[in-house]
Amino acid sequence: MIYNKFIQYISVERRLSVKTIETYASTLKLFKDFLEMLPEARTLETADSDNIRDWMEQLMEQKCSPAYVNRSLAALRTFYKYCYATGVMMKDPARSIVGPKRAKRLPRFLKENEIDRLVDLLSNGEMTFDNVRTRTIIYMLYLTGLRAAELISLDDNMISFVNRELKVTGKRNKQRVIPFGEELHSILSEYITVRNNSIERKDDALFVGDKGERITYNKVRKLVKETLPLVSSLDKCTPHVLRHTFATTMLNHDANLESIKKLLGHQSLNTTEVYTHTTFEQLKKIYKEAHPRE
């Protein structure tokens, strides 16, 4: 059966993750069940483009999100591309199908008064390794706009305290230099001192776990998730919120988009422009709350 051969193909030859394989298998089963319920029953091998469109329409009617529908379509595309390549089908019915547009979600960020409260919060407390590390990670993400993965990959030699610069390797292995100020200089210096006195490192990583190994993404995410709700009511408190906060703060204080683009490591200015929409939405909200005629 082509289904079994396909699952073997994505498992052995494509070496997709277990989660992706499970998602593809589940999607194909759901689509197969849909085909069998049609007035003129179809199989995975005899389905056409109209069947796929009808199924997608049904998913949307069932209030499935555009993201879910697009993931389902991606699974079908992979399956039918395989069927066409192996000669099982003479035509790829999923090739011309276009998924629903995903609604653009504006970046979530901390307001300036929340940042002020966060700074006060992080300035207090004992000078333990855990506390100093958490404070430094929060400050680093907020003051530089780093992605969590970029922060995790930092080594000591990527920091120039003389020039106050970070050398960062971002997406697609593109390198960029990010300047930092006196505040982060002081916090980083203090962290490194506490770290060296508390932990025996196993490599050159700047941020390490309690056993000296390079800190993990899950650990960074956990630290942020535990800290930000203390000052913010955002439903999702992730490292990316601090990256968004960095960009929005820069824009609100008259930094130009091209400079923000370079600091964030965006490939396209279109990606950076989303922050102009964010600040405009914030202005509209302030106007509605403050204007006497609203």
Side-chain angles (χ1 to χ4, degrees), residues 26-61:
S26 174
T27 299
L28 290 173
K29 184 181 183 306
L30 290 173
F31 184 52
K32 177 176 174 290
D33 292 343
F34 168 81
L35 294 171
E36 290 174 351
M37 295 297 292
L38 294 175
E40 295 181 5
R42 297 284 187 108
T43 65
L44 289 174
E45 293 90 334
T46 61
D48 59 24
S49 298
D50 287 339
N51 298 143
I52 297 175
R53 290 190 185 94
D54 289 343
W55 184 55
M56 290 171 56
E57 185 177 335
Q58 184 185 89
L59 292 176
M60 296 296 287
E61 288 174 352

Side-chain angles (χ1 to χ4, degrees), residues 220-239:
V220 171
R221 185 181 176 87
K222 184 172 183 288
L223 293 176
V224 173
K225 188 177 180 180
E226 290 174 347
T227 305
L228 297 195
L230 299 176
V231 299
S232 172
S233 59
L234 288 175
D235 56 346
K236 283 190 177 181
C237 291
T238 67

Side-chain angles (χ1 to χ4, degrees), residues 48-257:
D48 59 24
S49 298
D50 287 339
N51 298 143
I52 297 175
R53 290 190 185 94
D54 289 343
W55 184 55
M56 290 171 56
E57 185 177 335
Q58 184 185 89
L59 292 176
M60 296 296 287
E61 288 174 352
Q62 293 171 351
K63 306 299 182 184
C64 293
S65 70
Y68 176 84
V69 177
N70 281 317
R71 283 197 300 270
S72 300
L73 178 57
L76 293 186
R77 282 198 184 115
T78 304
F79 173 72
Y80 283 116
K81 186 176 181 181
Y82 171 78
C83 290
Y84 177 72
T86 55
V88 172
M89 299 181 70
M90 300 305 295
K91 185 179 179 181
D92 180 350
R95 183 176 181 181
S96 61
I97 305 296
V98 178
K101 288 186 177 181
R102 298 178 63 176
K104 281 191 175 181
R105 292 182 63 184
L106 293 177
R108 300 177 182 186
F109 58 94
L110 299 181
K111 300 172 184 175
E112 293 202 19
N113 65 324
E114 292 174 333
I115 285 294
D116 290 339
R117 295 207 308 272
L118 183 61
V119 168
D120 290 340
L121 176 70
L122 295 173
S123 299
N124 300 319
E126 297 179 45
M127 291 289 291
T128 64
F129 171 67
D130 283 350
N131 288 345
V132 173
R133 180 183 59 188
T134 297
R135 181 183 68 172
T136 308
I137 286 174
I138 297 291
Y139 266 86
M140 178 76 85
L141 292 170
Y142 166 60
L143 292 175
T144 65
L146 287 177
R147 301 178 178 95
E150 294 169 344
L151 177 137
I152 291 164
S153 67
L154 286 175
D155 292 337
D156 280 12
N157 61 11
M158 296 178 181
I159 303 171
S160 171
F161 284 103
V162 175
N163 298 323
R164 291 185 179 175
E165 293 176 345
L166 298 173
K167 290 183 179 179
V168 181
T169 300
K171 289 185 176 180
R172 293 171 289 275
N173 289 321
K174 287 193 173 182
Q175 293 189 326
R176 67 186 190 277
V177 176
I178 301 176
F180 59 87
E182 183 178 344
E183 186 174 22
L184 187 55
H185 181 291
S186 174
I187 289 168
L188 273 171
S189 299
E190 188 173 47
Y191 163 74
I192 290 173
T193 299
V194 173
R195 180 201 67 190
N196 291 346
N197 291 333
S198 308
I199 303 292
E200 185 176 340
R201 288 189 299 163
K202 294 182 178 178
D203 57 28
D204 296 327
L206 173 63
F207 292 106
V208 296
D210 298 338
K211 296 181 181 179
E213 74 289 353
R214 187 179 297 274
I215 199 168
T216 64
Y217 172 80
N218 286 338
K219 182 64 176 179
V220 171
R221 185 181 176 87
K222 184 172 183 288
L223 293 176
V224 173
K225 188 177 180 180
E226 290 174 347
T227 305
L228 297 195
L230 299 176
V231 299
S232 172
S233 59
L234 288 175
D235 56 346
K236 283 190 177 181
C237 291
T238 67
H240 232 63
V241 166
L242 291 167
R243 177 171 163 87
H244 294 325
T245 303
F246 164 82
T248 306
T249 301
M250 293 285 289
L251 192 62
N252 285 340
H253 288 81
D254 300 325
N256 63 67
L257 277 177

Side-chain angles (χ1 to χ4, degrees), residues 252-287:
N252 285 340
H253 288 81
D254 300 325
N256 63 67
L257 277 177
E258 184 62 34
S259 299
I260 298 173
K261 169 182 172 287
K262 290 179 180 178
L263 290 170
L264 292 174
H266 284 161
Q267 188 172 14
S268 168
L269 194 62
N270 291 336
T271 308
T272 316
E273 284 177 341
V274 70
Y275 296 106
T276 63
H277 301 303
T278 301
T279 52
F280 181 66
E281 289 300 319
Q282 188 180 24
L283 282 173
K284 286 201 298 185
K285 184 178 179 182
I286 292 171
Y287 172 79

